[in-house]
Amino acid sequence: MMSGCKPGDAAATTGNTPAAPTDPASTTPPAPTTPTPPTTPTTPTANSAPVISGSPAASVAAGAVYAFTPSSSDANGDALAFSIANKPAWAAFATATGALSGTPTAGQVGTYSGIAISVSDGKAAAVSLPAFTITVTAAANVAPTITGVPSTAATVGDDYSFTPTALDANQDPLTFSAQNLPSWASINTRTGAISGRPSAAGTHSGIVVTVSDGTATASLAGFTITVAAAASTGNGTYAGFTYAVPTTRPFISLNHYNTGTTSAAFTRLKGQVDDAVTVTNGISASATYDQLVTALNPGHYGYTSTDSVIMYRLTGDQRYIQQAIRMVDLFVTSENARIAAGSGTRVASDSYLEAGFFIEQVALAYDYGYSLLTPAQRTAWSAYAEQALFNIWNPNSASWGGVARTWTGWSISDPGNNYHYSFLKATQLWALASQNRTWFTHLQNNKYPPLVSFFYQLPGGGSREGTGYGTALGNLFEDYAYWKGSTGEDLAAYSAHARNTIDYWIHATVPTFDYFASIGDQSRSAMTVMFDYQRKLMAEAVALYQGTAQGQRGTWWLNRVRVTDGGNGFLTGRMRYNYDYKYDLLAMAASELAPTSLMYDATGTGALFARSDWGTTASWMHTVAGPYDQSHAHNDQGSFSFYRNGWLTLTSNAFSRSGINQGTDVHNVIRFMYSGAIVPQNESTSSKTVSDDGSTVRISETLTPAYSRNSTRVSNWLRELTYERTAHRLSVHDYCTIGTGVSPVWQLHTPVQPVRQSDGSYLAGSLRITTTLPASPTVTVVNMTSSAEFSGGYRLEITNPAGGCEFQVTLQAQ
C-alpha cells in the first residue's frame, strides 16, 4: 500500500530535515508563568455486583397463567442480562427482564424443581435467586361432556356401530359404560364405541351411554335400537331418511377418527399438529393465508386445519381449535380479497375439484369452534360456503361478488366421477355445520337417488375410472362415514359396492404388495406403485365394515401393503405423508383374515384378477372387459397384464410421463389400423364369461361393442385367455372380423426388450413369448422411448403378412 499525505493534511516532517532558524529580533521573550501543581490520579470506582430479589409463587393450577418477574438493580448502572436453569417446558423466559411466564396444561401437572434465575452485569459473577420449585396442580374438576346421535335402526346380520363424542376440560382419562345394552352388542370402555351384529329382529329400549372422568359423569339421553329382519341391499332405489336435528354442537361427527390417545398413530398426528400450532402462533398477527401456508410448508406440506380439529376432538385442548379458526379465517379473508380483486377463488380452481378439501376445513372449524367465532366471522364464513355450494350445483348461474363466474358443471350429475365425491363432501359437511335444510333437501332429492342407483350397478366394487383416479372412492367412503356418524343414515348400505371394494383392491394388488393393476389414467405416478391414496381407500372402507369378513381381509391387506413415495423405500402398516397421518386413526377390524379366493371378477367395472396362490412369488394376471363410460378410462377393453416377481407385461402407460395415455397403442390389445390411423374404441359395454376349476381360469371376452361406432372397420372381436396357475402360463387367442383396408396389429408391452431366440420365441426378461398363430408372423419390437412421452418400455408387434385376423400367443413366466 502506498503512503503519502491525504488531501488537506499538513505536510509530514521527516526526521532528517533541520528546523528553520529563529530570528532573535522578531522574537518576544515569553512572560513568566506560575508552575501548575501535578494532578492527582483519579481512582476508578470499584464494580458492584447486581442484586436480585423476589418470591416466585410455588404453585399454579393447570390452565392458569403463571407469571413472576424478579426485582433487580445495579449500583453502577450497568446493563443487566438474565438467565435461568431448569426452566419448565411450559414456560417462557425473557432474558431482558428475567420474567418467567406460561400456562401449563392438564398434561403438565407435576413438580418442577431446581429452577434458578440469575442476573449478570457482564463483569461480576452472576447473582442468583435461591433455587425454587413450582408445582402444577390439577385444575378444579369440570364434568366431561358427551354428545352424539346414535342410530336407532339395525338389521339382522349387519354391523351396528356408534361412537359418542366426549370431551373433558381437564383432559382426564375417560371411561365409558352403557346400561341396557343388547346382548349382541358391546362397548369399548376406552372410546365409548358400541358395536355388534344382531342375530334376531327386536327392539332394545332404554340404552344409556355414560362417560366418567373418575370424579364426575355425563350421559346421553336414553335411546332405542330397533333391529329389522335381514334384507337385501335393495333394488338401487334411494328410500329417503328422516333427519333428527341435533340440539348441541358439534353437529359433524369425527368419531371415525378414534384409535385412542395412546396409539402410535395418535402420537404421530399430534406431533404434526403441535408443530403446526407452534408455527401458526409464531407468525405475525397481520400475516396472510399465503404467508401462513408458506411458513407451514417446509415441515408440513399440505397441512390442513382438519387435523387440528381432529386433535381438538380427541383431546379437548383449545390450542388446536384456535389454530384451526385462525387458519380458516385467513383462508376466507384471502378468498374474499380475491373476489374483490376480480380474480379466481381457490375453491373454484380446476372446476371446483378441491371444493371438498376447502369446505371441509371451513365446516369443521365453524362447527367445532362456533362458540369462539365472532359474529363477523360466522357471517363471512357462512356467506363464502353458501356461495361456493350454490356455484357448484348451479354452474350457469355461478357468481362471485355479484360478478358472473359460470363454469362447465363438470361431473355434477355423474356419481362415477371423482370430482363428484368432492362436491358431495362440501355439501354434506356444510349442511351439517350450518343446519341449512336447503342442502339436506338437495342431497335427498337430487344427489342421493342417482348415487345409490349407480353404485348398485357395481356390486363387485371398484371404479369405472380405473385404479388411478378411481382411488377417489376413498373420498366417497369418507363421505359415507361423516354422514352416517352425523345423521345415522347409512348410504353405503344401499349396495354391496363399498364392502366389496375391499376385496377388489386385495385382488388388484400384486403378490409383492407394492404395485397394483394399471387400469385407466394414473394420477400420482404413471407406474402403479402403492401410495397413501390406495391405503386411504382401504382404510376408509375397512372402517365402515370392521366387523365383516371383508373388513378382516382388508385389515390383513393394510398390515402388509408396502407404501412408497417412488424412491425412498417402503413403509408397512402406516401412511407415509404427514398430511395423511389422520387416516391411520381409522379403526381396523379387531382381527385379520387372510383371503383364500384366487380369482375375483368385479362385473360392475369389467375388471378380473387371478393369481396362482397367496405367496409373494405367485403369478398374477388381470384383464378388462365390461362397461366403458368414464373420461379417465382407457381404450383398453380386452387388455391384460401379467406379473411374477416383477412386471412381465403391462400397459406402456406405466412408462409414460403423463400417466394418461388412453389409446389402444399403449395397451395389450389388437390395434386396428385404417389409412394409417388407429381405429379407436368407443364408450360401450363389452362382456365376458369365466370358469375356474382351481387350476385353470378360462375367460372368454366379447369385445365387439368397443367398436360399435366403427363397425364397418371392426365388426367382430373375440378374445380367449387361459391362465394356468401351476405352470404360471397365460395364453391369448383372438378371433376378429375386419373391413377392407383394416390392418390388425397384435400388441404386447414389456418393461424389458424382447429378444428373438433360436427357436423363434422371444424372451423379455423373465417372460417367454411364443407365437402359434399366425404360423409365420412378422414381429417388430418398438422401443417406446423413441417417443419423448415415454421413459421406458417396449412394444412387441405381431402381424400376419398373409392377412387374416386370428392370433394365438403364449406367455410363460420363467
Side-chain angles (χ1 to χ4, degrees):
M1 177 176 178
M2 296 181 66
S3 64
C5 296
K6 295 182 292 183
D9 287 352
T13 301
T14 67
N16 296 324
T17 304
T22 301
D23 182 357
S26 62
T27 301
T28 302
T33 58
T34 303
T36 301
T39 302
T40 303
T42 301
T43 302
T45 304
N47 183 64
S48 298
V51 295
I52 184 169
S53 61
S55 300
S59 66
V60 63
V65 176
Y66 181 93
F68 167 67
T69 303
S71 297
S72 60
S73 62
D74 186 82
N76 307 101
D78 294 326
L80 300 179
F82 296 82
S83 60
I84 188 171
N86 300 316
K87 179 182 72 66
W90 48 263
F93 183 74
T95 57
T97 65
L100 178 67
S101 61
T103 304
T105 67
Q108 292 167 321
V109 169
T111 300
Y112 300 82
S113 305
I115 305 168
I117 297 177
S118 305
V119 64
S120 172
D121 62 0
K123 299 174 182 177
V127 180
S128 304
L129 282 178
F132 59 97
T133 297
I134 302 175
T135 300
V136 179
T137 61
N141 188 64
V142 177
T145 61
I146 184 168
T147 58
V149 183
S151 176
T152 58
T155 303
V156 171
D158 284 349
D159 294 319
Y160 176 92
S161 64
F162 163 65
T163 305
T165 297
L167 299 174
D168 187 79
N170 308 101
Q171 296 189 2
D172 294 324
L174 300 178
T175 57
F176 296 82
S177 59
Q179 294 177 321
N180 302 318
L181 205 60
S183 60
W184 49 265
S186 61
I187 184 169
N188 185 317
T189 58
R190 180 173 54 84
T191 66
I194 293 174
S195 60
R197 186 182 301 173
S199 57
T203 301
H204 308 275
S205 304
I207 304 169
V208 178
V209 180
T210 300
V211 63
S212 172
D213 64 2
T215 302
T217 63
S219 301
L220 285 178
F223 61 97
T224 297
I225 301 176
T226 301
V227 181
S232 68
T233 53
N235 55 8
T237 301
Y238 176 66
F241 189 82
T242 301
Y243 301 114
V245 180
T247 56
T248 58
R249 290 188 184 274
F251 300 146
I252 302 172
S253 171
L254 288 171
N255 294 334
H256 47 299
Y257 294 115
N258 197 350
T259 58
T261 57
T262 59
S263 68
F266 172 86
T267 301
R268 278 196 301 272
L269 180 62
K270 185 177 185 298
Q272 292 293 322
V273 180
D274 284 346
D275 286 349
V277 169
T278 299
V279 171
T280 302
N281 290 345
I283 66 171
S284 164
S286 60
T288 65
Y289 177 74
D290 286 339
Q291 288 170 334
L292 173 57
V293 171
T294 298
L296 285 170
N297 271 349
H300 310 280
Y301 177 78
Y303 188 84
T304 78
S305 60
T306 296
D307 287 354
S308 295
V309 179
I310 292 171
M311 193 54 59
Y312 171 64
R313 176 255 181 269
L314 293 173
T315 68
D317 190 333
Q318 284 207 353
R319 293 183 305 131
Y320 301 129
I321 191 63
Q322 288 166 347
Q323 191 280 339
I325 289 172
R326 186 176 186 196
M327 192 168 184
V328 171
D329 197 50
L330 289 178
F331 170 72
V332 174
T333 299
S334 169
E335 289 285 81
N336 285 334
R338 286 169 171 259
I339 293 167
S343 58
T345 57
R346 289 178 175 85
V347 76
S349 62
D350 195 1
S351 300
Y352 288 87
L353 172 61
E354 300 297 336
F357 172 81
F358 287 120
I359 300 302
E360 176 183 41
Q361 297 177 68
V362 176
L364 286 173
Y366 184 92
D367 189 24
Y368 279 77
Y370 188 83
S371 63
L372 301 175
L373 298 177
T374 66
Q377 286 174 319
R378 294 174 188 171
T379 299
W381 294 17
S382 179
Y384 172 76
E386 289 286 342
Q387 189 64 51
L389 293 190
F390 176 85
N391 289 352
I392 288 170
W393 301 116
N394 300 277
N396 295 328
S397 305
S399 67
W400 286 108
V403 178
R405 294 284 184 179
T406 59
W407 67 290
T408 63
W410 171 254
S411 89
I412 62 174
S413 299
D414 183 3
N417 188 281
N418 64 93
Y419 282 63
H420 198 77
Y421 317 141
S422 178
F423 303 159
L424 288 180
K425 177 178 288 182
T427 308
Q428 289 177 325
L429 293 184
W430 185 247
L432 291 166
S434 66
Q435 289 297 301
N436 184 339
R437 306 303 289 182
T438 297
W439 299 120
F440 283 87
T441 300
H442 178 68
L443 290 166
Q444 279 200 307
N445 292 350
N446 304 319
K447 298 303 157 188
Y448 289 164
L451 182 79
V452 167
S453 176
F454 179 81
F455 285 106
Y456 182 77
Q457 301 171 57
L458 275 67
S463 168
R464 289 181 182 171
E465 289 191 300
T467 54
Y469 283 79
T471 56
L473 286 176
N475 296 333
L476 175 65
F477 300 160
E478 187 174 27
D479 295 348
Y480 288 163
Y482 268 132
W483 197 247
K484 181 180 178 181
S486 304
T487 69
E489 182 176 23
D490 189 357
L491 294 169
Y494 276 101
S495 72
H497 172 262
R499 186 180 300 192
N500 288 340
T501 293
I502 295 172
D503 281 328
Y504 176 103
W505 270 94
I506 290 172
H507 287 270
T509 303
V510 303
T512 47
F513 294 99
D514 47 359
Y515 295 93
F516 54 89
S518 184
I519 306 174
D521 285 349
Q522 297 301 316
S523 54
R524 178 59 179 81
S525 167
M527 177 57 74
T528 55
V529 289
M530 200 69 67
F531 281 98
D532 282 9
Y533 293 166
Q534 289 72 38
R535 185 175 180 84
K536 174 197 170 181
L537 181 155
M538 184 68 84
E540 293 284 3
V542 168
L544 290 173
Y545 295 106
Q546 301 167 46
T548 66
Q550 289 95 330
Q552 292 175 307
R553 288 194 290 270
T555 297
W556 178 90
W557 184 92
L558 286 167
N559 287 336
R560 288 162 178 78
V561 69
R562 302 169 69 202
V563 174
T564 184
D565 67 353
N568 290 335
F570 298 94
L571 287 178
T572 301
R574 53 170 287 194
M575 298 286 176
R576 176 174 289 278
Y577 296 104
N578 62 287
Y579 49 80
D580 289 326
Y581 282 177
K582 58 181 168 287
Y583 301 116
D584 284 335
L585 269 62
L586 296 170
M588 296 194 291
S591 60
E592 64 175 41
L593 179 65
T596 56
S597 175
L598 297 177
M599 191 269 288
Y600 190 81
D601 186 10
T603 56
T605 65
L608 179 144
F609 313 99
R611 66 185 64 213
S612 60
D613 56 77
W614 283 100
T616 57
T617 61
S619 56
W620 170 98
M621 60 83 62
H622 108 276
T623 186
V624 174
Y628 170 25
D629 60 8
Q630 286 295 320
S631 62
H632 290 294
H634 285 195
N635 282 212
D636 64 350
Q637 294 298 301
S639 65
F640 60 87
S641 59
F642 196 25
Y643 185 99
R644 190 180 188 215
N645 300 319
W647 288 109
L648 301 175
T649 176
L650 78 164
T651 169
S652 279
N653 184 51
F655 301 103
S656 71
R657 302 187 190 280
S658 66
I660 57 173
N661 290 70
Q662 298 187 347
T664 59
D665 54 319
V666 301
H667 292 290
N668 291 334
V669 296
I670 295 179
R671 184 175 88 243
F672 298 100
M673 302 294 296
Y674 180 76
S675 296
I678 298 172
V679 180
Q681 295 186 1
N682 51 256
E683 292 191 355
S684 56
T685 300
S686 296
S687 61
K688 63 179 175 296
T689 59
V690 185
S691 67
D692 183 0
D693 62 10
S695 62
T696 304
V697 181
R698 292 180 172 82
I699 308 159
S700 179
E701 300 175 336
T702 300
L703 305 168
T704 308
Y707 290 93
S708 57
R709 296 177 190 172
N710 288 281
S711 58
T712 58
R713 308 281 185 252
V714 182
S715 58
N716 186 51
W717 178 23
L718 302 178
R719 166 164 280 185
E720 295 177 350
L721 298 103
T722 303
Y723 170 49
E724 300 168 83
R725 290 191 172 97
T726 303
H728 306 297
R729 184 165 50 237
L730 178 64
S731 301
V732 186
H733 195 172
D734 289 288
Y735 312 82
C736 44
T737 305
I738 53 178
T740 302
V742 176
S743 301
V745 181
W746 197 95
Q747 299 179 158
L748 185 75
H749 295 260
T750 60
V752 179
Q753 181 175 2
V755 177
R756 181 180 172 83
Q757 305 299 297
S758 58
D759 61 358
S761 68
Y762 280 76
L763 194 62
S766 297
L767 179 68
R768 184 173 295 277
I769 307 156
T770 305
T771 303
T772 303
L773 292 173
S776 301
T778 297
V779 179
T780 304
V781 175
V782 177
N783 186 334
M784 298 300 287
T785 62
S786 60
S787 166
E789 169 59 16
F790 298 92
S791 61
Y794 297 85
R795 183 175 64 217
L796 182 144
E797 301 180 344
I798 299 173
T799 58
N800 187 350
C805 195
E806 182 177 3
F807 300 88
Q808 188 168 6
V809 181
T810 299
L811 310 177
Q812 176 68 62
Q814 301 297 292

